[in-house]
Amino acid sequence: MDFNGNAFAWFVDRHVNEGRGERLAFADPARSLSYAGLQAACSRFATALARAGVGRERRVVLIMQDTVDFPVAFWGALQAGVVPVPVNTLLPHEQIGYILADSRAEAVVISAPLLAAVQPVLQAQKDLRLVIVSGAAGPDQIGFEAFLAAGEPRAEAVTASPDEVAFWLYSSGSTGAPKGTKHVHGSLRGTYDSYARQVLGIGPDDVTFSASKIFHAYGLGNSMTFPMAVGGAAVLLPDRPTPAAVLATMQRFQPTLFYGAPTLYAALLAHPGIGPGAGSARLRHCISAGEALPEAVGQRWSQAVGVDILDGIGSTEMLHIFVSNRPGAVRYGTTGTAVPGYALRIVDEHDQDVADGESGELLVRGPTAAEGYWNQRAKTRRTFQGEWTRTGDTYVREADGCYRYWGRADDMFKVSGVWVSPFEVESALVSHPTVLEAAVVGHPDRDGLIKPKAFVILQDSASHIDPDTLYELLKEHVKERAGAWKYPRWIEVVDSLPKTATGKIQRFLLRA
């Protein structure tokens, strides 16, 4: 059967039309939804949007926890030709206000527990005319279920080109205002055809659990496009993914695929409940992205859980992972090799390709690149250059073809005229049994020369160690693991590290 280019037709209608309507699509702690149920609910949402006057190519912002309502709102909007804009629920309210104003959203779907805090921001939006509350809505509010009831359970997806903008994702805004990144319908299937199919080998009997939320490009693929491509199921966790909550979800739903970020894997390893399978006897792959995975964390996880972590790198601009380790061929400490369908270059400051073993900025070419940024012409031109997308990440390609992460281009610094990768020093630090997390920045000494400074979170078992003793232990450890000139001249023990709402360390705040 031929489908139009609207991604809804392939990801939702196809399964019902081919007899998979009763298969489980999504489950959260309280509810579940089959593919037939998803199709009907999406159709209701799409037609209710039309009746409410939210027209094609208009924006609906989703400020939602990971429940079964999220995919209904996202795919229902696509079905109607309306552009869903998932928003990080942990963003400061002023950034949420910026996104609402910048996108000129006409409608918002918001989870009830988030409404009170965001209400003043919503009231200040001149373009916003429809607020729909997912969960327990108040008497003067439009509840999600009531909104769906006003729609029709069967509706055709609007005809769309695969190259038509389908949805936006805002960048994390770690060093400035968030950028609205515009993605097309065809890119959703592109992430499945490349990474999910050819690296993970995902199948219809897989059960997915992503601790990374759907509002993030990584989580959107993990929890929606990957399982939905094959008629599989996804488990959703609306709450904060603490180690206890994650392990309880693993034990209850027994997923086969688990997606997390390096910080979470480190925290899980420190939890007393971690062990073989991490609570799921069916677990076959663990995946990490968001930041590079320290070698020591991967090795400890493999030993404790018995399943390797496939570390990869993706971006909001490329939608999902484009460099990854492979099942059965994991090289901890590297990001692996290019995902099928993607090409990579490492270039110097003059955009000339560098030799293996030399560092430079990673550029990527592939089928899932965004169309550009909304109303950010100059930044679009700097990032999207023809078929190539600049990542802003510094990498080295090793002789065997594996790519090793060195850090963000603006995080690199020189010591005695030699480039130092913060990530390399951080990896050395977390390989020591006393350190749970670490961040490294360049810091001037009394002569104004830049040297490494480390901020570390200690393991509970190390809290009693004398600071001077700890410093000497870690200094010698880094010298041995990373190089004599790379050791931190200062080590500050902290309770937490500044991070974006998606978990990336904000090193620029530590340099202040």
Side-chain angles (χ1 to χ4, degrees):
M1 176 177 286
D2 292 327
F3 297 98
N4 73 46
N6 190 319
F8 178 87
W10 195 78
F11 281 94
V12 182
D13 283 341
R14 175 173 60 98
H15 296 301
V16 178
N17 294 340
E18 295 178 1
R20 293 183 291 276
E22 299 310 309
R23 289 185 64 90
L24 177 66
F26 297 98
D28 65 29
R31 296 175 292 164
S32 62
L33 199 61
S34 68
Y35 278 92
L38 175 65
Q39 183 192 55
C42 288
S43 295
R44 288 186 180 278
F45 187 77
T47 52
L49 282 177
R51 288 182 178 181
V54 181
R56 185 166 183 172
E57 298 182 4
R58 299 301 182 182
R59 270 76 67 190
V60 53
V61 164
L62 311 182
I63 313 172
M64 303 181 71
Q65 296 173 322
D66 281 18
T67 72
V68 297
D69 288 347
F70 196 126
V72 171
F74 182 89
W75 294 98
L78 261 64
Q79 183 181 7
V82 175
V83 177
V85 184
V87 170
N88 191 323
T89 60
L90 301 178
L91 285 177
H93 297 154
E94 60 269 18
Q95 286 202 6
I96 291 179
Y98 171 86
I99 290 171
L100 288 166
D102 184 63
S103 66
R104 304 181 199 137
E106 294 186 359
V108 163
V109 185
I110 184 168
S111 295
L114 308 175
L115 180 61
V118 181
Q119 188 74 54
V121 172
L122 298 179
Q123 292 172 342
Q125 304 306 312
K126 64 179 181 179
D127 294 307
L128 185 61
R129 54 192 182 84
L130 178 64
V131 177
I132 306 160
V133 180
S134 167
D140 299 324
Q141 298 165 347
I142 302 172
F144 193 75
E145 291 300 323
F147 187 73
L148 294 186
E152 298 294 333
R154 288 292 298 168
E156 295 295 323
V158 302
T159 301
S161 163
D163 293 333
E164 183 175 329
V165 172
F167 62 102
W168 297 2
L169 294 172
Y170 273 82
S171 66
S172 59
S174 59
T175 57
K179 302 182 292 294
T181 309
K182 301 178 292 180
H183 281 287
V184 301
H185 282 269
S187 289
L188 289 165
R189 183 171 176 178
T191 61
Y192 159 72
D193 285 335
S194 55
Y195 179 75
R197 180 173 65 85
Q198 299 190 65
V199 175
L200 298 183
I202 193 170
D205 293 328
D206 275 310
V207 176
T208 289
F209 173 39
S210 175
S212 296
K213 302 299 185 180
I214 306 176
F215 60 67
H216 190 210
Y218 178 45
L220 189 148
N222 302 343
S223 292
M224 292 207 301
T225 56
F226 293 174
M228 291 176 68
V230 293
V235 174
L236 305 179
L237 176 64
D239 305 320
R240 192 165 68 90
T242 63
V246 167
L247 289 174
T249 303
M250 299 276 280
Q251 290 162 358
R252 176 181 176 184
F253 290 100
Q254 297 291 298
T256 59
L257 301 173
F258 174 67
Y259 302 80
T263 298
L264 177 59
Y265 283 110
L268 285 166
L269 284 168
H271 192 277
I274 200 66
S280 174
R282 303 179 62 218
L283 190 64
R284 68 183 187 89
H285 290 318
C286 296
I287 299 94
S288 179
E291 285 222 292
L293 180 75
E295 182 177 357
V297 173
Q299 290 172 341
R300 293 206 305 267
W301 181 270
S302 182
Q303 292 166 2
V305 176
V307 179
D308 277 326
I309 299 175
L310 306 179
D311 187 30
I313 181 176
S315 68
T316 302
E317 288 76 9
M318 295 302 295
L319 194 53
H320 214 278
I321 292 171
F322 50 84
V323 186
S324 179
N325 278 271
R326 301 294 198 276
V330 170
R331 274 197 61 199
Y332 287 123
T334 79
T335 318
T337 57
V339 168
Y342 295 88
L344 307 172
R345 295 173 61 199
I346 297 177
V347 300
D348 61 18
E349 63 271 23
H350 305 295
D351 279 354
Q352 298 300 307
D353 293 289
V354 303
D356 286 356
E358 296 182 11
S359 65
E361 183 182 1
L362 182 69
L363 276 58
V364 56
R365 182 182 68 200
T368 59
E371 184 194 62
Y373 300 125
W374 168 253
N375 286 350
Q376 300 261 8
R377 190 181 186 198
K379 290 181 178 179
T380 294
R381 286 178 166 179
R382 284 198 298 271
T383 300
F384 304 98
Q385 299 183 346
E387 294 184 315
W388 294 94
T389 300
R390 307 192 78 97
T391 68
D393 290 307
T394 300
Y395 263 84
V396 170
R397 184 180 187 271
E398 300 187 340
D400 65 355
C402 285
Y403 288 77
R404 185 179 294 272
Y405 178 75
W406 270 43
R408 294 291 295 172
D410 50 5
D411 287 332
M412 301 287 289
F413 57 92
K414 283 186 175 181
V415 175
S416 301
V418 179
W419 283 111
V420 170
S421 158
F423 179 72
E424 183 183 17
V425 182
E426 291 162 4
S427 296
L429 285 165
V430 299
S431 70
H432 194 275
T434 62
V435 178
L436 178 63
E437 288 188 70
V440 172
V441 298
H443 185 76
D445 64 13
R446 66 180 63 186
D447 297 318
L449 300 173
I450 299 298
K451 300 291 190 291
K453 179 178 181 179
F455 299 82
V456 300
I457 300 174
L458 297 180
Q459 300 276 5
D460 291 340
S461 59
S463 59
H464 66 284
I465 300 178
D466 173 75
D468 291 337
T469 302
L470 178 69
Y471 174 74
E472 291 301 322
L473 284 172
L474 296 180
K475 180 179 76 173
E476 294 305 316
H477 185 71
V478 173
K479 283 184 176 181
E480 181 182 335
R481 295 291 295 260
W485 71 97
K486 299 178 183 178
Y487 75 91
R489 275 47 165 192
W490 310 269
I491 296 179
E492 186 174 328
V493 177
V494 296
D495 294 326
S496 63
L497 295 171
K499 296 177 181 177
T500 68
T502 52
K504 296 180 180 180
I505 297 172
Q506 295 175 302
R507 294 178 184 84
F508 75 97
L509 293 177
L510 297 173
R511 292 194 293 266

